[in-house]
Amino acid sequence: MMHRRLFAFVLALAVAGSLGAAPPAASKAAEKKPEYRRVTLSGGPGKDLPFTVEIPGDWQMRMEPGYPGLWLGPADAKPPQDPRMIWVRG
């Protein structure tokens, strides 16, 4: 009988300890959320398209001669060769 009480007591302590324990820390990658911004796509001065797109904060929106549309991508990317670039034509 004594063993049952001792076992129940130890089990209760173990359960109570696990309930009060802090949750495991999230990884640093999960804590760091990428920053995004919403931009209005434009076909030129005064020619805004009727929709927006969300892009990473370090991306640029630019027009290149010879391409009717916009290029979206990192600042160091060279259109049209760089596969990170996205071409949008209105």
Side-chain angles (χ1 to χ4, degrees), residues 28-66:
K28 289 184 181 183
E31 289 176 7
K32 182 182 176 188
K33 294 181 182 178
E35 294 182 26
Y36 292 93
R37 62 187 170 105
R38 186 160 292 277
V39 294
T40 300
L41 299 178
S42 176
K47 298 180 183 177
D48 287 348
L49 300 176
F51 52 87
T52 62
V53 64
E54 194 170 272
I55 60 175
D58 61 342
W59 277 26
Q60 295 180 345
M61 178 175 58
R62 59 184 184 229
M63 297 178 86
E64 293 288 324

Side-chain angles (χ1 to χ4, degrees), residues 1-2 9 13 19 26 32-33 39 47-48 62 64 66 71 76-77 79 81-82 86-87:
M1 187 70 139
M2 179 76 160
F9 179 73
L13 285 177
L19 292 177
K32 182 182 176 188
K33 294 181 182 178
V39 294
K47 298 180 183 177
D48 287 348
R62 59 184 184 229
E64 293 288 324
W71 289 97
D76 64 337
Q81 301 90 348
D82 198 314
I86 298 171
W87 183 47

Side-chain angles (χ1 to χ4, degrees), residues 3 7 11 15 19 21 53 55-56 71-72 75 78 80 82-84 90:
H3 289 52
F7 177 75
L11 181 61
V15 170
L19 292 177
V53 64
I55 60 175
W71 289 97
L72 306 172
K78 306 285 187 241
D82 198 314
R84 299 174 295 168

